[in-house]
């Protein structure tokens, strides 16, 4: 190699999964698995799942959350297994959990919307509990949606080192002048 040489660097690829989630966790996990498999077949280093990928709009949010109180919960185990099976990092959108970061239960019946990151060996590398919450009035049968009815405010953002570089765990950014939280 000479002083003027260029050394090619392999650019890591990522898979950003978009899916239409339902209230059925089992159906959503099957769909997510197929999409993770597809992304992994393309050689991605990290897969990013969407917010509420495991359950969206469920009337059983607290029940789903109770099963995710420990790292043995079915959705969290699914994320571990996918990371191990495909050897890529998995950034798990959000799922409801009934415990704070320190392990204490949220007694109000509400949950935290948590995002988990797992490395390619299936080890949990980070957890972020969503801070922003939405409230909106719409012209439908329900007429209003307010995340605070079910979700407890989380904490500040988390950054994890990954094969694709540092990744900040966050859920969304408000385009109406809000700040990243």
């Amino acid at each position: 190699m000479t002083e003027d040489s260029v050394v090619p660097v392999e650019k890591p690829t990522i898979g950003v999964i978009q899916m239409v989630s339902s209230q059925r966790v089992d159906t959503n996990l099957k769909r997510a698995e197929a999409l993770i498999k597809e992304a992994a077949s393309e050689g991605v280093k990290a897969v990013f799942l969407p917010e509420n990928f495991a359950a969206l709009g469920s009337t059983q949010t607290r029940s789903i959350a109770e099963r995710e109180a420990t790292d043995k919960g079915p959705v969290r185990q699914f994320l571990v297994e996918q990371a191990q099976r495909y050897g890529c990092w998995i950034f798990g959108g959000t799922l409801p959990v009934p415990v704070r970061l320190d392990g204490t239960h949220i007694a109000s019946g509400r949950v935290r919307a948590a995002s988990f990151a797992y490395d390619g060996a299936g080890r949990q590398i980070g957890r972020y509990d969503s801070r922003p919450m939405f409230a909106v009035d719409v012209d439908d049968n329900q007429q209003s949606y307010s995340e605070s009815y079910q979700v407890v405010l989380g904490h500040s953002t988390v950054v994890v080192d990954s094969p694709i570089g540092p990744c900040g765990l966050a859920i969304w950014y408000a385009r109406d002048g809000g700040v990243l939280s």
Side-chain angles (χ1 to χ4, degrees):
M1 180 164 40
T2 67
E3 211 175 301
D4 296 331
S5 297
V6 174
V7 179
V9 176
E10 181 183 333
K11 293 182 180 178
T13 56
I14 64 170
V16 180
I17 293 183
Q18 183 66 36
M19 56 188 275
V20 178
S21 298
S22 70
Q23 294 182 12
R24 297 188 47 93
V25 174
D26 57 340
T27 300
N28 296 331
L29 295 185
K30 285 179 187 168
R31 182 67 183 134
E33 182 174 13
L35 293 166
I36 292 168
K37 180 179 181 180
E38 182 181 340
S41 74
E42 297 292 327
V44 301
K45 302 286 186 222
V47 173
F48 294 83
L49 291 163
E51 183 177 13
N52 297 312
F53 75 95
L56 179 65
S58 177
T59 58
Q60 304 297 316
T61 300
R62 181 63 186 212
S63 175
I64 293 167
E66 287 298 337
R67 293 189 295 272
E68 300 301 327
T70 72
D71 60 355
K72 303 298 182 212
V75 177
R76 291 168 69 180
Q77 275 301 294
F78 165 82
L79 296 172
V80 167
E81 291 164 8
Q82 296 305 299
Q84 291 172 335
R85 179 173 296 133
Y86 298 109
C88 61
W89 282 53
I90 304 284
F91 293 85
T94 58
L95 59 139
V97 294
V99 292
R100 295 174 184 85
L101 283 170
D102 65 6
T104 59
H105 249 70
I106 301 166
S108 65
R110 295 186 296 165
V111 300
R112 287 221 169 150
S115 179
F116 292 90
Y118 296 91
D119 69 10
R123 292 181 298 256
Q124 183 182 319
I125 301 301
R127 171 183 165 175
Y128 165 71
D129 291 0
S130 179
R131 287 188 45 88
M133 289 201 244
F134 67 84
V136 63
D137 294 324
V138 294
D139 189 20
D140 71 0
N141 289 338
Q142 188 164 329
Q143 296 188 351
S144 71
Y145 297 86
S146 181
E147 201 171 20
S148 65
Y149 293 149
Q150 292 184 322
V151 179
V152 174
L153 193 63
H155 60 85
S156 61
T157 52
V158 174
V159 176
V160 297
D161 290 321
S162 78
I164 61 170
C167 287
L169 305 182
I171 306 305
W172 59 273
Y173 176 78
R175 295 183 338 171
D176 61 356
V179 295
L180 181 63
S181 50

